[in-house]
């Protein structure tokens, strides 16, 4: 029996570009429920690899994509020479399929700063082609409830990152900024894809939301007069470019996103809302990270009906202007914030890694923003005249989900 000869990885890499390759077989080890046609779509490009370097690169991309579209929990590509061939190769994928059923409990902090507990359950790759069904129930210490169930279907194919999803949810929440409670029952259909050679992210959403606003005794009359049931049908379209190295506390890269929401064909809501989000981050000497973000929103009502208080622009809170209560910047009536027809917010951050360096950071920020009234005659002038500024420093703790 002949012995195999092993070489250093760098030696093989140096020769890989000029080494022709012919893929004679692609084999999967560990497959039980995944459909054969789904696997063929994911790895068909491997057979077009012209040299060993390209084959290694494409095999790595295929293994990663199998996990990202939900077909596998774990995948590793191993390349071996084909028997009785000098240029032939066999690609072996060692895979682990998703569990038949998952369930868990999670405690954390919501975007509103409230402690919450979530119960979740789901099933991945339901039909063997990456489909997923997930349910979640969330309860906060302040009494908010949210239940949702969603189904997702990815479009399979070489390096395709697109899917369609459907979500049903029911939410009961208190809104302290205008002293009211809101119940929402919604159905959402969404498409996520990529354009322009996968450089442009694209999302389309169709929303149908039945809302009930319940004003408390402390709410201003401007809130009380909008209480009751409303039905909103809206279409959202968003495009984005994202070159950040990570979504939370990026150390380099930019995010540019423009979104439009149109409501008015059916239901009670009738408006057009435009939103522009910009983010940028860059490393500095001594380990510092400089980051900045800018957000602009503009809302215009259609027809004679006034834009509902639930659809207006709001600012304030840890997501935009720190130091102010959640959604409390802008026009007020008594102790209720009424939102506005336009808003601007800009923040500059400075981070310095501490110990451990990838989790704990020193953080300083300077933020500014303003909200213009829904009835403003000169929106730009009002945004200039009503600026709010906050600054501070502290610590930032980032928890990143481990990768296996």
């Amino acid at each position: 029996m002949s012995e195999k000869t092993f070489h250093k990885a760098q030696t093989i890499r140096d020769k890989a570009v000029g080494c022709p390759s012919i893929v004679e077989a692609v084999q999967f080890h560990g497959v039980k429920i995944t459909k054969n046609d789904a696997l063929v779509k994911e790895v068909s490009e491997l057979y077009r690899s012209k040299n060993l370097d390209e084959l290694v690169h494409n095999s790595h991309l295929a293994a990663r994509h199998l996990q990202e579209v939900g077909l596998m929990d774990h995948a590793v590509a191993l390349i071996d020479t084909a028997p009785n061939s000098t240029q032939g190769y066999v690609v072996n994928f060692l895979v682990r399929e998703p569990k038949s059923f998952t369930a868990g409990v999670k405690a954390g902090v919501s975007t509103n700063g409230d402690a919450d507990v979530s119960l979740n359950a789901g099933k991945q790759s339901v039909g063997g082609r990456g489909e997923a069904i997930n349910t979640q129930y969330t309860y906060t210490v302040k009494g908010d409830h949210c239940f949702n169930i969603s189904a997702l279907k990815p479009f399979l194919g070489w390096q395709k990152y697109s899917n369609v999803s459907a979500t049903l949810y029911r939410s009961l929440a208190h809104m302290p900024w205008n002293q009211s409670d809101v119940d929402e029952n919604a159905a959402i259909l969404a498409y996520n894809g990529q354009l322009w050679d996968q450089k442009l992210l694209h999302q389309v959403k169709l929303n149908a939301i039945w809302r009930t606003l319940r004003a408390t005794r402390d709410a201003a009359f401007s809130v009380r007069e909008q209480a009751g049931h409303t039905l909103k049908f809206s279409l959202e379209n968003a495009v984005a470019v994202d070159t950040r190295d990570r979504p939370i506390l990026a150390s380099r890269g930019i995010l540019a996103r423009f979104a439009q929401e149109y409501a008015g064909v059916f239901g009670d809501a009738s408006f057009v809302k435009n939103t522009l989000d910009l983010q940028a981050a860059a490393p500095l000497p001594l380990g510092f990270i400089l980051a900045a973000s800018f957000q602009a929103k503009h809302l215009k009502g259609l027809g004679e009906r006034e834009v509902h208080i639930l659809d207006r622009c709001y600012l304030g809170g840890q997501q935009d202007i720190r130091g102010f209560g959640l959604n409390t910047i802008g026009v007020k009536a008594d102790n209720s914030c009424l939102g506005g027809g336009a808003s601007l917010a800009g923040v500059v951050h400075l981070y310095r890694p501490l110990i451990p360096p990838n989790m704990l950071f020193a953080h300083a920020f300077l933020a500014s923003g303003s909200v213009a009234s829904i009835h403003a005659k000169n929106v730009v002038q009002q945004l200039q005249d009503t600026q709010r500024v906050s600054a501070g420093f502290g610590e930032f703790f980032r928890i990143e989900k481990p990768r296996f």
Side-chain angles (χ1 to χ4, degrees), residues 238-299:
V239 291
V241 175
D242 191 354
T243 64
R244 298 172 299 172
D245 55 351
R246 57 194 182 206
I248 300 177
L249 209 166
S251 61
R252 63 179 71 247
I254 64 169
L255 167 68
R257 184 177 187 270
F258 178 70
Q260 285 185 311
E261 181 179 11
Y262 169 74
V265 178
F266 304 105
D268 304 302
S270 183
F271 62 86
V272 174
K273 180 186 288 186
N274 298 297
T275 303
L276 175 66
D277 284 295
L278 300 174
Q279 296 181 24
L284 297 177
L286 303 178
F288 284 93
I289 299 173
L290 180 65
S293 63
F294 173 80
Q295 183 188 81
K297 292 183 179 181
H298 182 260
L299 177 67

Side-chain angles (χ1 to χ4, degrees), residues 53-321:
D53 180 68
E54 189 174 335
L55 178 60
V56 172
H57 177 71
N58 288 344
S59 298
H60 171 72
L61 290 180
R64 187 176 65 183
H65 195 258
L66 287 168
Q67 301 170 76
E68 292 175 337
V69 297
L71 281 174
M72 302 296 170
D73 266 351
H74 184 66
V76 175
L78 302 178
I79 302 174
D80 199 0
T81 55
N84 305 320
S85 176
T86 58
Q87 298 181 358
Y89 294 91
V90 176
V91 182
N92 293 282
F93 286 94
L94 305 183
V95 300
R96 182 176 69 242
E97 294 179 316
K99 296 179 180 179
S100 58
F101 180 79
T102 59
V105 180
K106 182 181 69 174
V109 179
S110 69
T111 55
N112 297 339
D114 301 333
D116 62 26
V117 176
S118 297
L119 307 176
N120 56 79
K123 182 174 176 58
Q124 307 300 311
S125 200
V126 178
R129 295 181 176 87
E131 309 90 340
I133 296 178
N134 293 287
T135 61
Q136 184 179 57
Y137 172 74
T138 303
Y139 174 78
T140 71
V141 295
K142 293 186 178 180
D144 295 351
H145 301 259
C146 183
F147 172 80
N148 72 72
I149 179 170
S150 62
L152 181 143
K153 168 62 179 175
F155 294 107
L156 301 179
W158 180 253
Q159 294 302 291
K160 276 189 177 181
Y161 287 92
S162 56
N163 60 67
V164 291
S165 64
T167 302
L168 298 174
Y169 79 82
R170 174 170 171 77
S171 173
L172 296 86
H174 177 62
M175 301 188 297
W177 55 90
N178 57 27
Q179 307 299 317
S180 63
D181 299 309
V182 62
D183 299 350
E184 289 188 346
N185 299 274
I188 300 174
L189 298 176
Y191 164 80
N192 293 281
Q194 296 181 330
L195 302 171
W196 197 22
D197 196 23
Q198 300 183 346
K199 296 179 180 179
L200 198 64
L201 306 177
H202 183 218
Q203 182 184 65
V204 179
K205 293 173 63 178
L206 181 62
N207 308 301
I209 308 175
W210 171 27
R211 310 173 296 187
T212 305
L213 182 67
R214 296 186 174 91
T216 65
R217 293 182 179 181
D218 298 327
F221 177 77
S222 300
V223 177
R224 291 174 176 273
E225 66 179 356
Q226 298 201 42
H229 300 275
T230 56
L231 188 62
K232 180 176 87 167
F233 286 91
S234 70
L235 177 66
E236 295 182 59
N237 182 68
V239 291
V241 175
D242 191 354
T243 64
R244 298 172 299 172
D245 55 351
R246 57 194 182 206
I248 300 177
L249 209 166
S251 61
R252 63 179 71 247
I254 64 169
L255 167 68
R257 184 177 187 270
F258 178 70
Q260 285 185 311
E261 181 179 11
Y262 169 74
V265 178
F266 304 105
D268 304 302
S270 183
F271 62 86
V272 174
K273 180 186 288 186
N274 298 297
T275 303
L276 175 66
D277 284 295
L278 300 174
Q279 296 181 24
L284 297 177
L286 303 178
F288 284 93
I289 299 173
L290 180 65
S293 63
F294 173 80
Q295 183 188 81
K297 292 183 179 181
H298 182 260
L299 177 67
K300 181 180 180 181
L302 303 176
E304 299 180 356
R305 182 172 298 175
E306 184 173 335
V307 178
H308 197 275
I309 194 171
L310 294 174
D311 299 315
R312 298 179 186 178
C313 303
Y314 290 89
L315 277 184
Q318 61 182 0
Q319 298 299 311
D320 38 62
I321 311 299

Side-chain angles (χ1 to χ4, degrees), residues 358-369:
N358 292 324
M359 297 179 66
L360 187 62
F361 298 81
H363 175 217
F365 70 91
L366 175 64
S368 176

